[in-house]
Amino acid sequence: MRSKYKESFFSGTCHGVAGSGYVFLLLYRLTGDPKHLHRANAFADFIFSPEFSQGARTPDAPYSLYEGLAGTVCYLVDILKPDQAAFPFFDVF
């Protein structure tokens, strides 16, 4: 989960932890395989870890949908209802 750019973390959906988690959340929705939901939850848990809070980098647009907190919040809300999860504005269903 470390960025190869500056050894720091990003939170957003574009190239951050939430975006990586969305991959598994959508795989769960497509396949119903609980291992994908488990992995999506692991990314969500990581967002609240001390390692993330100490190493997270502030993005250029900290409140934006794809780089900042807005996308991370969308991901965390979708974790609550994984059967209805959809990547923001790119629904694959």
Side-chain angles (χ1 to χ4, degrees), residues 13-56:
T13 56
C14 181
H15 49 269
V17 175
S20 299
Y22 256 122
V23 171
F24 293 104
L25 194 54
L26 296 180
L27 278 171
Y28 170 73
R29 189 163 171 210
L30 286 167
T31 67
D33 189 334
K35 75 179 176 189
H36 298 307
L37 181 58
H38 174 75
R39 292 171 180 165
N41 279 313
F43 278 93
D45 290 343
F46 182 69
I47 290 170
F48 295 102
S49 73
E51 183 181 8
F52 180 81
S53 60
Q54 292 170 0

Side-chain angles (χ1 to χ4, degrees), residues 46-84:
F46 182 69
I47 290 170
F48 295 102
S49 73
E51 183 181 8
F52 180 81
S53 60
Q54 292 170 0
R57 184 175 157 243
T58 302
D60 296 331
Y63 304 109
S64 73
L65 180 61
Y66 295 112
E67 243 188 79
L69 292 174
T72 304
V73 169
C74 288
Y75 172 66
L76 294 173
V77 168
D78 277 346
I79 282 286
L80 299 175
K81 293 187 178 182
D83 294 330
Q84 299 173 19

